[in-house]
Amino acid sequence: MTARRQWQIVIGVVVLLAAGLWAATHYLGDEIFPVEVGSKAPPFVATTLDAQPKPRTLADYKGQVVLVNVWATWCGPCRQEMPSMEALYKDFAPRGFKIAAVSIDDAGTEQRVRDFAKEFGLSFDILHDPSGRIQQIYQTTGVPENFLLGADGVIRKKSYTQDWNSEANRALVARLLDEAGAPPAPSATIKPSTVASPPPGADRMQVEVVPESGARARP
């Protein structure tokens, strides 16, 4: 067998392996790389709602405790959830806590998204992904869906509609900030819930939390 023929065989094998990997990732991505508690949060790309939109990625929040929220203006539970998110953010933002709320509203609805943020007085990052690509990346089944990440980028909680200003959620965010070495803030204390009762659909997903620090990320 000539050297040229050997190289042709090697290249052919590499091409076949690459094609197999692509097919497995494309068709079996959920099974091979599940987005779940204890796994690394996958990267995403969205844009700001500035007059000149700017790209924003998960890498922009590297090393920070961040809540990734996938939502839409037409989503009723999202409207119920947002005020508690704002309350949580206001108290913990001084410690470095971030919220990246990614709207999946259609292209051309940027003003509607802006109006929504203004109506609720939202001061955290409101981003837009009109392609809805983040839904596939994060394997969501509806809106809202939430992914609370530790400073190490590991998903520490995954849930549907939540009262984010509840005692339990405030304690969890405070613990993640402590783990990250964030400075203490007098305002970051446990406060009464801002929601009288869980919003409809809040029990559709079992909330999972990695209980201890130093959780190792699954690949």
Side-chain angles (χ1 to χ4, degrees):
M1 182 181 295
T2 65
R4 181 178 180 180
R5 180 57 180 165
Q6 289 178 329
W7 275 111
Q8 288 176 334
I9 292 174
V10 170
I11 292 172
V13 170
V14 171
V15 170
L16 286 175
L17 289 174
L21 178 60
W22 177 89
T25 303
H26 185 74
Y27 295 107
L28 300 174
D30 290 7
E31 289 77 11
I32 299 176
F33 306 111
V35 179
E36 59 187 11
V37 170
S39 66
K40 277 278 190 179
F44 67 83
V45 178
T47 58
T48 64
L49 292 170
D50 301 324
Q52 295 295 326
K54 303 178 183 65
R56 189 69 61 84
T57 70
L58 184 62
D60 292 313
Y61 302 95
K62 184 177 181 180
Q64 298 173 310
V65 177
V66 57
L67 173 63
V68 177
N69 168 256
V70 182
W71 69 285
T73 58
W74 41 261
C75 163
C78 298
R79 299 180 69 87
Q80 294 175 299
E81 181 179 58
M82 287 291 189
S84 69
M85 290 172 59
E86 177 64 19
L88 179 73
Y89 178 72
K90 279 185 175 179
D91 282 340
F92 288 97
R95 299 192 64 191
F97 175 59
K98 301 293 184 180
I99 295 180
V102 183
S103 163
I104 59 167
D105 284 80
D106 294 336
T109 61
E110 289 79 8
Q111 189 56 50
R112 184 190 306 166
V113 179
R114 293 189 193 97
D115 291 343
F116 183 102
K118 183 178 180 180
E119 176 186 351
F120 287 92
L122 305 179
S123 57
F124 48 79
D125 292 347
I126 302 294
L127 307 177
H128 192 202
D129 176 17
S131 70
R133 172 67 175 155
I134 193 170
Q135 292 181 289
Q136 181 181 355
I137 294 172
Y138 276 74
Q139 301 166 14
T140 63
T141 58
V143 286
E145 284 199 31
N146 301 283
F147 304 83
L148 181 61
L149 317 182
D152 55 1
V154 174
I155 299 173
R156 305 296 290 273
K157 177 171 182 173
K158 176 180 176 181
S159 71
Y160 287 123
T161 312
Q162 288 281 293
D163 171 9
W164 284 101
N165 202 37
S166 70
E167 192 171 305
N169 281 326
R170 291 178 64 88
L172 174 58
V173 170
R175 177 163 63 82
L176 293 179
L177 289 167
D178 289 341
E179 290 177 7
S187 60
T189 56
I190 303 300
K191 294 185 178 180
S193 170
T194 57
V195 177
S197 58
D203 60 346
R204 289 183 298 145
M205 177 187 292
Q206 181 180 357
V207 175
E208 298 177 277
V209 179
V210 175
E212 298 179 358
S213 62
R216 298 178 63 183
R218 301 191 188 98

